Amino acid sequence: MKIAVLGGLGLQGRAAIADLVASADVEEVVCVDTAPNGAARLGGLTDLARVRFVVPEGAIAPVLANVLAGVDAAIDLLPQPLMREAVQAAITTRTPLVTTNYGKTIVDLAPAAEAAGVSIMTECGLDPGIDLVLYARAAGQFDAITAIDSYCGGIPEPRAMAKPLCYKVSWNFDMVLMSQNRDSVLVENGKRVDVPAGQQHENRFIHEIEVAGLGRLEAFPNGDAPHYAGMLAAAKGLQRSGRYSLRWPGWSAFWAPLKELGFLSEDKVPGVGASPREFLGRLLGPQLQYGADEKDLCVMRNVFTGTQDGRRKTVMSDLVIERDLASGLFGMSLGVGYPASIVAQMLARGEITEPGLLNPLLHVPDGRFLDELARRGIRVSETIDWD
């Protein structure tokens, strides 16, 4: 197989490339990135003999179309604004593609993808991604699901916590800041509850969970819970659901007043040339970098409650991914890059063939996918309790 990684020299792209090269079925990996020093960035991480570098110059669309025409599948890890061009190139060349970005921004391309007979797997990373496969797995274990609580977050290991944020950067920090200003939707008592971005860090929406080996983590709303629950036939009578980000306690108390004062605003400050959010990113990002011997942790928990055979049941899945100090790859990078690589290989082999805009919850075989994650050292633990 030949597989292209678009944006291959970023944090997640490097993990995807390392995984693809480690696969005996992958003959060549095409790394597309504007950085000219690809060999240096990947040096020591993987076998460069199986990696071909393409550095776009000028308009990106023709480059993408040319690359995708010569591969069996592609992974889109480009900046979000370029997602549409990557998907359009995949449709034009009829090349299966995996993207980690949200599918809602390209729903208008679904008819074209279906007409072209090409599979475009959206939202296929960590969160969303692995969690959605776990949704599908849980759905088969219930007659009816009444509650779904999903948690995920990237945090530094305890010894790497930096006060006062207790946070360090394991992915695009600008995107981290943008996620602190995102509308969310919960389900409470069977009814939709909209959480405007300005209220995201208010105490009434915040709670803590206990994670073995780590202690208590703070959870705040950060996603559209009914959107995903609505894909599950067993969850039609859903009474409660939320999608939450996880941080060390104190995160919301830090951001709430800054948000109220406008520090996460997207509006340019007159005479400055940058928005408050952009300024914070440039100021804080360099101060929140991991040391070479420090680990990030990706913590995920999904809790499903419902009934099976007339009995009340709870299924809880837990996952912790930590940085690989030998390669330097962050847990966040592995959590995004590995799922994208696994599913891209499934597409290239023809294991997933349905055309159109796809979603891991509906279109990724959960058993096979989780087995592939486990082969890479990423294992989901599951506990089942009956009342």
Side-chain angles (χ1 to χ4, degrees), residues 64-83:
L64 295 179
N66 183 59
V67 169
L68 266 57
V71 298
D72 300 297
I75 299 172
D76 166 37
L77 293 168
L78 293 167
Q80 199 278 333
L82 294 177
M83 173 192 185

Side-chain angles (χ1 to χ4, degrees), residues 25-44:
D25 294 336
V26 178
E27 173 189 350
E28 181 182 64
V29 179
V30 183
C31 174
V32 181
D33 202 291
T34 55
N37 58 340
R41 292 197 182 196
L42 292 178

